[in-house]
Amino acid sequence: MRVVARRLVTLVLVLLVSTFLTALLTSSVRGDTVDAIAATAPPEVKAEIRHDLHLDRPLLARYWIWLDDFGHGDLGQIYTGPTTRSEVTDKVKEVLPTTLRLMVYSQIVAMLVAVPLGVVTAYRAGSLFDKATNATAFGLLAIPNFVVALILAYYLGVKYDVVPPIYNKNLAGVDGHIRNFLLPTISLAVGQIAIYLRLLRSDMIATLQEDYITMAKAKGLTSGRILWRHALRPSSLTLLTAAGLNIGTLIGGAVVIETIFAMPGMGYEIAKSIAARQYVALQSYVAIIAMGYILVNGLVDVLYAILDPRIRRARATG
């Protein structure tokens, strides 16, 4: 119960800090929000938009109004023209699944590549394969994901026409889904592969020096059983921590990747909201992301207890 209470307090604090900083930063941007929304509209229409967005009130008053609306389930509105608008809630329902799929796919790809490589390189530490893999990982860490995206889009999307270089809504079925998500997923996963590989390799090397691993070897257990059944599980805690903390990195990467590939996701909507000065929608997007970040890290805490019984016993006695 105490852990749940702490998580709720953390969620509220992160939500308040992140959304207020968003409001503070957007209010300091030069230019008039109303002009960006309806530059050619009559003065009376502009005045109405300004009043609807509460831009005629101080920053703290605007923030409190947004926070009260958000608490009651009203995420605000997006102005698509001087007199036309749409609900942020409807837009979130439309774009959030795309971003969630992209993040899940990239994490799955990163884990499927990094975990086997991390285990094998730890087992063969110091070998030519280990050195080559680590050198490649260092190289991948130095390449920003938008560079990877542009390279993949040019060679696989434009030059060789293997998959579409931008998101194509007309592609249907499983094949179309894979073709649309392949390049963005790889672009977002490349950096994560390098991080997870390095972390798991380091922890696995330390675990393989433990006494119980030596005992398992003395009992005649096969190397595969020792690595995958006895060494991998306790070596996964740092990897889980990194996966939870990397949600923020993935969200930031999704903004760039979805913009490059014109994917109709949350990241693309955030970029559009910044460009169009739709700051009410932006605050709601940030709030949803903050809530998701805390929930994922809460799930990581639960997985800790599953993977390491010592943590579970410590919490029970505490």
Side-chain angles (χ1 to χ4, degrees):
M1 195 65 185
R2 195 180 305 169
V3 175
V4 175
R6 277 203 304 265
R7 279 293 167 190
L8 288 175
V9 172
T10 303
L11 175 60
V12 172
L13 288 176
V14 171
L15 182 64
L16 291 175
V17 172
S18 59
T19 53
F20 182 73
L21 285 177
T22 302
L24 184 63
L25 290 172
T26 53
S27 66
S28 64
V29 176
R30 290 184 177 181
D32 188 0
T33 301
V34 177
D35 284 339
I37 294 172
T40 59
E44 59 272 15
V45 175
K46 289 186 176 182
E48 183 181 349
I49 295 174
R50 193 179 304 278
H51 178 72
D52 288 344
L53 295 176
H54 308 294
L55 294 174
D56 51 354
R57 300 194 182 193
L59 171 63
L60 288 176
R62 293 201 306 270
Y63 179 73
W64 177 255
I65 292 170
W66 170 84
L67 190 62
D68 182 61
D69 289 341
F70 186 84
H72 288 87
D74 182 4
L75 304 187
Q77 295 178 327
I78 302 172
Y79 277 82
T80 55
T83 58
T84 56
R85 64 192 77 176
S86 59
E87 295 293 329
V88 175
T89 304
D90 296 334
K91 181 58 69 174
V92 169
K93 291 178 181 178
E94 178 186 338
V95 302
L96 184 58
T98 299
T99 299
L100 291 177
R101 289 189 190 103
L102 176 60
M103 293 173 65
V104 169
Y105 294 163
S106 64
Q107 287 290 70
I108 291 174
V109 169
M111 290 294 183
L112 287 177
V113 176
V115 171
L117 284 178
V119 171
V120 173
T121 53
Y123 179 66
R124 301 176 59 183
S127 67
L128 181 61
F129 176 76
D130 175 43
K131 293 176 181 177
T133 304
N134 274 283
T136 304
F138 274 121
L140 293 177
L141 283 172
I143 305 175
N145 53 27
F146 70 87
V147 174
V148 176
L150 292 173
I151 292 173
L152 292 176
Y154 173 72
Y155 282 102
L156 297 182
V158 178
K159 189 173 183 178
Y160 297 108
D161 195 24
V162 177
V163 289
I166 61 172
Y167 190 91
N168 187 347
K169 295 181 180 180
N170 296 322
L171 293 177
V174 176
D175 179 66
H177 188 79
I178 293 173
R179 287 166 63 82
N180 272 327
F181 276 89
L182 183 62
L183 298 186
T185 298
I186 295 174
S187 303
L188 204 54
V190 164
Q192 308 303 313
I193 291 172
I195 294 171
Y196 296 161
L197 191 157
R198 295 284 300 166
L199 288 174
L200 183 59
R201 175 187 177 276
S202 178
D203 283 358
M204 281 286 293
I205 289 175
T207 301
L208 290 173
Q209 308 303 317
E210 296 287 343
D211 292 339
Y212 74 91
I213 297 296
T214 304
M215 184 178 296
K217 292 178 181 177
K219 288 182 177 180
L221 297 181
T222 62
S223 298
R225 186 177 178 85
I226 292 172
L227 288 172
W228 297 101
R229 288 289 302 274
H230 299 283
L232 178 60
R233 185 170 174 176
S235 301
S236 302
L237 297 180
T238 305
L239 181 62
L240 272 177
T241 303
L245 294 175
N246 272 341
I247 295 300
T249 304
L250 287 173
I251 293 167
V255 174
V256 178
I257 298 302
E258 288 180 2
T259 302
I260 290 174
F261 291 103
M263 296 187 71
M266 183 77 86
Y268 190 37
E269 284 302 316
I270 289 174
K272 286 169 58 180
S273 297
I274 294 172
R277 299 179 185 271
Q278 301 282 353
Y279 296 144
V280 173
L282 179 61
Q283 280 181 231
S284 296
Y285 294 148
V286 170
I288 293 170
I289 290 170
M291 292 169 64
Y293 182 82
I294 294 298
L295 291 174
V296 169
N297 279 274
L299 178 61
V300 169
D301 282 350
V302 174
L303 291 175
Y304 275 170
I306 294 174
L307 289 174
D308 194 338
R310 293 171 298 180
I311 296 175
R312 186 166 59 249
R313 286 194 295 267
R315 287 179 178 174
T317 57

